Amino acid sequence: MLKNVQFRQYVKTVVNLAGVNFHKLKNSCMENSRKKSRREFIQSGARLSMAIALVGVAGLAVKKAGKENYVWQIDPFKCTQCGRCATSCVMKPSAAKCLHAFALCGYCDLCGGYLKPDANKQSTAGENQLCPTSALKRRYVEEPYFEYVVDRDLCIGCAKCVKGCTSFGNGSLHMQIIHDICLNCNECSIARLCPSDAISRVKASTPYKVKGGWTKDSKA
């Protein structure tokens, strides 16, 4: 068995023979570790923020449902991103919004939900963005990672970003009805026209079926 000092010297000799500077290699490994830690910290914070937001809105859903105790829900695993959420809801803009399951996101530079397929550049310029209202915000984390957050006030529920993310990404962007906006109509006008029967009425105590492991009913 080699002692620790001998082993370190052995590693130095091997990497030097391979034409690699030992100190550069060590510093590179430490930097990669720090980057990974920073990214994991950001992901954890994003997951916690979303979880807190969903718990709060779920409470509002229960309160708003009243004696009926039922609310409308979109099943993201059935949704085909048809765009009817934006055009058929009685609320203007729609009560159906895009949500982001950060646990599924790849934090990609080339994001299919953010950039148009024929975008000239991978930039924040309006002409390159897929969202017509710039509701999907892009923030640089570190090379090559970017974080994407949905501005609920700007989202009109068109599902264009969801379609792009589903087609060219991990499917972390998905649609859901926000219950503190929804009127909880007896017959949902979107559900009536939904081609995939993705919208149904569920108990207000479990109002969300969300991708990324946020709820016990999630399939992701």
Side-chain angles (χ1 to χ4, degrees):
M1 292 287 292
L2 291 172
K3 293 182 179 180
N4 290 338
V5 175
Q6 291 175 314
F7 181 73
R8 285 197 295 271
Q9 185 59 46
Y10 172 74
V11 172
K12 287 182 181 180
T13 302
V14 171
V15 295
N16 285 333
L17 287 173
V20 180
N21 183 281
F22 179 78
H23 293 291
K24 285 185 178 180
L25 178 65
K26 183 177 73 172
N27 292 337
S28 176
C29 291
M30 292 176 65
E31 180 64 23
N32 287 338
S33 177
R34 283 195 295 270
K35 283 185 177 180
K36 184 178 179 182
S37 298
R38 285 199 298 271
R39 186 187 175 204
E40 288 174 347
F41 176 77
I42 291 167
Q43 287 178 318
S44 299
R47 286 196 290 269
L48 178 61
S49 298
M50 185 176 180
I52 292 171
L54 288 178
V55 169
V57 176
L60 288 170
V62 174
K63 183 178 180 181
K64 195 164 187 177
K67 294 180 180 178
E68 290 182 341
N69 206 36
Y70 281 84
V71 291
W72 293 102
Q73 172 202 80
I74 298 176
D75 186 337
F77 303 98
K78 291 182 179 179
C79 175
T80 57
Q81 306 90 43
C82 66
R84 286 180 174 84
C85 284
T87 58
S88 301
C89 184
V90 297
M91 298 296 295
K92 302 299 178 187
S94 175
K97 307 287 185 182
C98 173
L99 294 182
H100 196 187
F102 292 98
L104 294 180
C105 181
Y107 290 73
C108 304
D109 184 6
L110 183 60
C111 174
Y114 182 79
L115 295 168
K116 292 179 179 177
D118 58 348
N120 293 324
K121 294 182 180 179
Q122 297 175 32
S123 71
T124 57
E127 64 268 19
N128 296 323
Q129 295 183 37
L130 190 60
C131 178
T133 61
S134 298
L136 190 60
K137 305 297 184 183
R138 169 183 168 109
R139 185 176 71 86
Y140 176 76
V141 178
E142 61 188 21
E143 191 63 34
Y145 303 120
F146 287 83
E147 182 182 49
Y148 299 88
V149 180
V150 181
D151 186 330
R152 197 180 81 172
D153 293 334
L154 293 178
C155 180
I156 59 174
C158 69
K160 289 182 178 180
C161 62
V162 179
K163 192 176 186 71
C165 183
T166 302
S167 300
F168 304 105
N170 296 338
S172 57
L173 295 172
H174 57 286
M175 296 297 298
Q176 192 50 269
I177 293 171
I178 307 301
H179 296 114
D180 60 339
I181 301 175
C182 177
L183 295 178
N184 199 25
C185 304
N186 289 330
E187 183 181 14
C188 176
S189 57
I190 313 173
R192 190 172 64 250
L193 298 174
C194 179
S196 59
D197 294 323
I199 302 176
S200 60
R201 225 165 190 197
V202 299
K203 289 184 178 180
S205 57
T206 55
Y208 288 107
K209 184 174 288 187
V210 184
K211 286 187 174 181
W214 291 108
T215 68
K216 63 182 180 182
D217 295 324
S218 175
K219 299 178 184 176

